[in-house]
């Protein structure tokens, strides 16, 4: 257990250092979601009343598509110089690698959300009519839901012929309940018309189920030959 | 076992023909919906067939992950492919019925949406099989099948929160299917189940044959390389560029 955590933290620190030096994924994600904010503002009247009902979907679609950028980078980076093969031979537990990657992506996507949310608030004149603090658990659980399966499916799609194309095709269908939960919870909180509790519980269940599944099956994916 | 295949084929033809006759000519016309209700005799049995084929896919995937038995993997491919076909039939016949009865082609209610999501998951499964390199495909696909199966209850519960417009199930407890319609319905369930099993079995045999042929080609090209008799004598099949 102890070695699992130390390896996880070492890999995570390496990934964060790499990203900090290049800032490739973060810059691409930020610019991409900024574009989404601007382009979607043409499709409806961005006034407070109307945007409250729409922005829940909009914001998560922007984050979902932007997250794919970071997720695709996750394993592609390890293919250079056969790092992934080296990892496969090493006695380090496979789940340490997976957890480090998932936590790294969680940090990157979380950072993106923290930077983009103020922009959404300004551009769409948002003010929550429901309990705004509930947006924090929704964001945490929702981001983990995207990232845990995203990291897993990125490890799968990196083995296929058209890697970058494959990830969204695998990730989006499986993520439908999570996306529905995030969007509905955010809308419920922003409009204050109904309780977001069901959706938060759904997101929590989704996270528990798929984190367990990922940890149980990641070894099989990493060692698939 | 091989003798069972023609028997199943004959059984399928008999059942499908009899079910068609019962559904279109014998079963009474529904009072409010009229003739269009008869599509139900093909819509619901197709759905049932699709669901059990997806279930076969899940079982075969789990067996493959545990035993690493390639026959289980071939069965998983066959079940998924045929299941997607039957699921497509469900998704096409549904709107055909809905348009005259509900006045709309499609509505985002519980059953429709979850069936559509199930279809999407299995299409992504087939795409993964298509796009990935040959050696690791079975493992990746089996893992994806398990993820899909875990997703189904979550999909169902999340969409359950929306209002349901689909007619409530008419089979089982509190069913309201008129007794005079039952023979047509159950005959068609049997017919479509046999048909699905037959297609799945045929596809499974083709898949096994296909793999044997590929293996033979690979072996042959290896032997040719070993004898170093020049590139021209090699068969046209060269495998993947890697």
């Amino acid at each position: 257990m102890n070695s699992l955590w130390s390896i996880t933290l070492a890999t995570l620190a390496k990934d964060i250092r790499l990203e900090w030096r290049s800032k490739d994924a973060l810059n691409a994600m930020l610019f991409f979601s900024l574009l989404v904010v601007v382009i979607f503002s043409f499709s409806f009247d961005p006034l407070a009343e109307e945007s409250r009902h729409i922005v829940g979907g909009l914001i998560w679609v922007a984050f979902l598509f932007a997250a794919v950028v970071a997720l695709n980078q996750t394993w592609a980076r390890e293919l250079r110089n056969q790092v992934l093969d080296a990892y496969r031979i090493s006695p380090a537990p496979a789940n340490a690698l997976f957890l480090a990657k998932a936590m790294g992506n969680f940090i990157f996507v979380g950072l993106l959300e923290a930077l983009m949310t103020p922009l959404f608030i300004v551009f769409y004149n948002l003010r929550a009519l429901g309990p705004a603090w509930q947006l924090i658990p929704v964001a945490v659980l929702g981001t983990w839901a995207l990232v845990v399966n995203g990291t897993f499916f990125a490890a799968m799609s990196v083995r296929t012929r058209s890697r970058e194309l494959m990830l969204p095709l695998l990730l989006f269908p499986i993520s439908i309940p999570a996306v529905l939960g995030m969007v509905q919870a955010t809308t419920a909180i922003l409009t204050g018309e109904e309780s977001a509790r069901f959706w938060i519980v759904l997101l929590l269940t989704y996270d528990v189920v798929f984190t367990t599944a990922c940890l149980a099956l990641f070894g099989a994916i990493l060692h698939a030959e | 076992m091989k003798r069972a295949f023609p028997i199943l084929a004959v059984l399928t033809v008999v059942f499908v023909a009899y079910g068609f006759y019962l559904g279109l000519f014998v079963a009474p016309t529904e009072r409010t919906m009229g003739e269009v209700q008869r599509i139900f005799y093909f819509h619901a049995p197709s759905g049932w067939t699709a669901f059990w084929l997806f279930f076969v896919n899940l079982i075969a995937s789990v067996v493959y992950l545990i035993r690493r038995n390639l026959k289980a993997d071939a069965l998983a491919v066959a079940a998924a492919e045929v299941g997607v076909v039957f699921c497509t039939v469900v998704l096409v016949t549904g709107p055909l019925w809905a348009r005259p009865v509900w006045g709309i082609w499609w509505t985002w209610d519980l059953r429709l949406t979850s069936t559509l999501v199930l279809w999407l998951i299995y299409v992504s499964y087939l795409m993964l099989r298509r796009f990935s390199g040959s050696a690791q495909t079975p493992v990746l696909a089996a893992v994806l099948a398990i993820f899909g199966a875990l997703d189904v209850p979550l999909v169902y519960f999340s969409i359950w929160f929306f209002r349901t417009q689909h007619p409530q199930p008419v089979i089982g407890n509190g069913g309201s299917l008129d007794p005079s319609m039952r023979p047509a319905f159950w005959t068609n369930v049997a017919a479509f189940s046999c048909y699905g099993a037959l297609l799945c079995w045929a596809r499974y045999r083709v898949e096994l044959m296909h793999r044997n042929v590929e293996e033979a080609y690979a072996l042959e090209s290896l032997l040719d390389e070993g004898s170093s008799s020049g590139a021209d004598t090699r068969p046209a099949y060269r495998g993947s560029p890697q």
Side-chain angles (χ1 to χ4, degrees), chain A residues 174-218:
Chain A
I174 298 279
S175 296
I176 284 174
V179 172
L180 188 63
M182 294 174 232
V183 172
Q184 292 299 323
T186 311
T187 309
I189 294 165
L190 287 180
T191 56
E193 280 164 10
E194 51 201 285
S195 163
R197 187 171 300 154
F198 172 83
W199 299 111
I200 293 176
V201 173
L202 178 85
L203 281 175
L204 190 67
T205 318
Y206 183 94
D207 284 355
V208 170
V209 167
F210 281 104
T211 307
T212 315
C214 286
L215 291 177
L217 293 169
F218 184 70

Side-chain angles (χ1 to χ4, degrees), chain B:
Chain B
M1 200 61 183
K2 272 193 178 157
R3 209 174 291 159
F5 188 81
I7 295 174
L8 181 65
V10 172
L11 207 64
T12 304
V13 171
V14 170
F15 266 129
V16 168
Y18 189 54
F20 183 81
Y21 167 72
L22 284 183
L24 290 196
F25 301 105
V26 177
T29 308
E30 217 272 343
R31 207 179 303 148
T32 48
M33 296 183 226
E35 300 288 356
V36 74
Q37 180 267 343
R38 292 180 194 278
I39 207 167
F40 161 80
Y41 300 122
F42 306 100
H43 174 78
S46 305
W48 153 252
T49 309
F51 291 142
W52 73 250
L53 281 166
F54 289 151
F55 190 67
V56 168
N57 167 273
L58 172 67
I59 302 292
S61 300
V62 173
V63 168
Y64 175 76
L65 271 188
I66 296 169
R67 295 268 173 84
R68 303 283 160 149
N69 179 347
L70 278 173
K71 280 188 173 175
D73 180 59
L75 182 62
V77 187
E81 280 183 4
V82 180
V84 165
V85 171
F86 277 96
C87 201
T88 311
V89 171
V90 174
L91 289 172
V92 170
T93 50
L96 287 180
W97 170 87
R99 176 69 191 166
V101 176
W102 286 344
I104 42 171
W105 292 105
W106 182 267
T107 170
W108 293 96
D109 96 315
L110 176 60
R111 279 149 179 281
L112 281 77
T113 316
S114 37
T115 309
L116 180 64
V117 173
L118 191 67
W119 184 84
L120 288 174
I121 290 173
Y122 274 94
V123 170
S124 87
Y125 172 91
L126 293 181
M127 292 196 111
L128 174 71
R129 296 208 75 116
R130 179 123 219 150
F131 277 116
S132 63
S134 54
Q136 330 141 348
T137 313
V139 179
L140 303 188
V143 168
L144 184 62
I146 291 171
F147 268 68
L150 288 175
D151 209 35
V152 168
L154 288 165
V155 168
Y156 194 81
F157 276 116
S158 62
I159 300 168
W160 165 71
F161 230 57
F162 291 118
R163 192 169 49 88
T164 285
Q165 194 170 12
H166 193 279
Q168 287 305 304
V170 287
I171 321 300
N173 44 343
S176 65
L177 186 70
D178 193 85
S180 60
M181 292 174 174
R182 275 179 201 156
F185 176 73
W186 288 111
T187 311
N188 273 304
V189 168
F192 275 72
S193 293
C194 286
Y195 189 34
L198 185 76
L199 284 180
C200 182
W201 194 349
R203 180 67 187 86
Y204 167 72
R205 285 172 64 176
V206 169
E207 181 68 25
L208 283 186
M209 230 178 271
H210 181 73
R211 286 176 189 199
N212 284 340
V213 168
E214 231 165 52
E215 214 169 280
Y217 268 132
L219 204 65
E220 201 174 328
S221 59
L222 265 181
L223 288 176
D224 272 6
E225 234 153 82
S227 66
S228 69
S229 56
D232 289 344
T233 55
R234 272 195 238 170
Y237 181 84
R238 297 266 162 81
S240 67
Q242 280 183 328

Side-chain angles (χ1 to χ4, degrees), chain A:
Chain A
M1 200 64 202
N2 209 3
S3 76
L4 178 90
W5 278 114
S6 60
I7 294 170
T8 305
L9 290 179
T11 317
L12 179 63
K14 178 216 72 170
D15 274 348
I16 291 176
R17 203 177 306 129
L18 267 178
E19 182 59 35
W20 180 252
R21 285 184 186 159
S22 70
K23 299 191 190 66
D24 284 348
L26 207 57
N27 281 337
M29 285 196 295
L30 275 173
F31 190 61
F32 180 84
S33 39
L34 179 65
L35 290 175
V36 173
V37 174
V38 174
I39 288 169
F40 269 97
S41 74
F42 304 137
S43 68
F44 67 98
D45 195 13
L47 289 173
E49 277 319 303
E50 200 165 335
S51 55
R52 248 184 221 120
H53 291 274
I54 299 168
V55 150
L58 175 59
I59 207 165
W60 282 110
V61 167
F63 292 154
L64 178 65
F65 285 113
V68 170
V69 176
L71 293 168
N72 265 328
Q73 286 263 318
T74 319
W75 303 102
R77 208 175 249 161
E78 308 292 345
L79 288 180
R80 260 175 261 150
N81 305 322
Q82 278 77 45
V83 181
L84 203 58
D85 290 330
Y87 203 98
R88 221 176 280 150
I89 319 169
S90 81
N95 280 341
L97 182 64
F98 176 76
L99 278 176
K101 291 290 182 187
M103 281 154 75
N105 282 326
F106 182 78
I107 292 171
F108 300 146
V109 177
L111 203 60
L112 164 85
E113 288 169 4
L115 293 172
M116 286 308 294
T117 309
L119 221 61
F120 271 99
I121 293 173
V122 169
F123 278 161
Y124 291 109
N125 302 302
L126 288 179
R127 196 173 58 81
L129 296 179
W133 62 268
Q134 285 185 356
L135 286 172
I136 294 170
V138 171
V140 170
L141 294 172
T143 310
W144 182 254
L146 290 185
V147 155
V148 73
N149 272 354
T151 310
F152 191 87
F153 287 130
M156 279 168 86
S157 65
V158 87
R159 304 298 195 72
T160 60
R161 251 179 288 143
S162 32
R163 290 173 200 143
E164 320 236 309
L165 186 70
M166 205 58 221
L167 173 63
L169 299 186
L170 298 176
L171 178 62
F172 291 176
I174 298 279
S175 296
I176 284 174
V179 172
L180 188 63
M182 294 174 232
V183 172
Q184 292 299 323
T186 311
T187 309
I189 294 165
L190 287 180
T191 56
E193 280 164 10
E194 51 201 285
S195 163
R197 187 171 300 154
F198 172 83
W199 299 111
I200 293 176
V201 173
L202 178 85
L203 281 175
L204 190 67
T205 318
Y206 183 94
D207 284 355
V208 170
V209 167
F210 281 104
T211 307
T212 315
C214 286
L215 291 177
L217 293 169
F218 184 70
I221 291 295
L222 186 69
H223 297 292
E225 264 321 318

